[in-house]
Amino acid sequence: KAGVTQTPRYLIKTRGQQVTLSCSPISGHRSVSWYQQTPGQGLQFLFEYFSETQRNKGNFPGRFSGRQFSNSRSEMNVSTLELGDSALYLCASSPRREPGNTIYFGEGSWLTVV
Amino acid sequence: AQSVTQLDSQVPVFEEAPVELRCNYSSSVSVYLFWYVQYPNQGLQLLLKYLSGSTLVKGINGFEAEFNKSQTSFHLRKPSVHISDTAEYFCAVSDYTNAGKSTFGDGTTLTVKP
């Protein structure tokens, strides 16, 4: 079974631009969550989607948004990029929205804002 | 609200020595606890998790962790480490009040020296 796939793996954007990151969950997984990872800050929860609806949201500004499609694939978008948005963005999937479920991570999308 | 504190940001240890990575959590409700490992340029993968039952949990690669409810701790241990265990380790917590969201600690970098 294929793992969580994230694209692109690496990208460089200019301050003020926007970016869209894509995530394909493991087949059959319906919950997709996104995390931002930066040195010293660990993993910060962005949001979680289940059945095409955002179910949970972290403390990020409205520039960060996402969506989920009917096939459970998800995208996240960051508008008006700032230098501080440079980070590894990790997507994770799990079969259901139960807190004891293992979540399976992709390898992440490295975003550099210059 | 949940929180996770990993008490050591960096742990250097010699090969074949024992190691303990410390994790304390805070939550007002019953929790599920996880340890994940991240190798360079990869996503996170599950080492072990505590859901209920026996407080000693065994995971992959010879790691184990003990849940201590009175001390709100979930420390990770390995009796003899290998060079290949060099990685970043994350403790995480989830509960039913925030299904779909896991809260992670800031990570502990384990460096195994020959």
Side-chain angles (χ1 to χ4, degrees):
Chain A
K1 193 183 261 191
V4 178
T5 304
Q6 292 188 245
T7 57
R9 289 293 318 278
Y10 304 93
L11 67 166
I12 300 173
K13 291 286 188 179
T14 303
R15 193 171 48 182
Q17 287 186 313
Q18 73 162 10
V19 66
T20 298
L21 308 177
S22 181
C23 172
S24 293
I26 291 172
S27 178
H29 285 196
R30 296 173 62 197
S31 172
V32 174
S33 51
W34 289 88
Y35 292 82
Q36 181 194 66
Q37 184 179 13
T38 54
Q41 297 251 352
L43 277 77
Q44 302 295 317
F45 175 77
L46 280 157
F47 26 64
E48 183 241 351
Y49 286 86
F50 183 84
S51 293
E52 302 177 65
T53 303
Q54 187 180 92
R55 304 294 181 141
N56 218 326
K57 189 177 189 309
N59 296 323
F60 279 82
R63 300 185 297 107
F64 291 80
S65 63
R67 59 178 175 169
Q68 186 182 34
F69 302 95
S70 58
N71 61 359
S72 295
R73 191 177 68 85
S74 177
E75 289 181 347
M76 67 163 283
N77 183 78
V78 188
S79 63
T80 320
L81 283 165
E82 300 177 359
L83 296 178
D85 297 332
S86 295
L88 176 65
Y89 290 88
L90 291 164
C91 172
S93 74
S94 67
R96 297 170 298 279
R97 297 194 72 240
E98 294 173 7
N101 275 178
T102 300
I103 55 175
Y104 297 85
F105 285 86
E107 294 187 323
S109 292
W110 282 98
L111 171 65
T112 301
V113 182
V114 297
Chain B
Q2 309 162 335
S3 68
V4 177
T5 302
Q6 292 185 239
L7 298 167
D8 308 290
S9 59
Q10 301 201 28
V11 174
V13 64
F14 287 105
E15 194 173 17
E16 298 183 7
V19 71
E20 178 179 78
L21 307 184
R22 297 179 295 166
C23 172
N24 285 354
Y25 69 92
S26 173
S27 176
S28 57
V29 298
S30 295
V31 298
Y32 303 95
L33 294 156
F34 305 78
W35 276 98
Y36 288 86
V37 60
Q38 185 178 35
Y39 298 104
N41 297 317
Q42 294 186 25
L44 282 72
Q45 62 181 126
L46 181 72
L47 273 178
L48 48 79
K49 64 181 178 181
Y50 171 79
L51 301 182
S52 65
S54 173
T55 57
L56 184 62
V57 181
K58 294 190 183 298
I60 63 171
N61 300 340
F63 284 93
E64 63 180 32
E66 184 149 22
F67 170 59
N68 188 319
K69 187 173 181 180
S70 63
Q71 297 190 7
T72 60
S73 68
F74 190 56
H75 300 334
L76 181 70
R77 295 190 288 258
K78 186 170 183 178
S80 176
V81 294
H82 303 290
I83 298 287
S84 59
D85 292 323
T86 295
E88 189 155 20
Y89 292 79
F90 291 91
C91 182
V93 63
S94 65
D95 64 51
Y96 273 103
T97 64
N98 273 294
K101 174 186 176 182
S102 294
T103 300
F104 286 80
D106 288 343
T108 297
T109 300
L110 174 65
T111 303
V112 181
K113 300 179 286 186

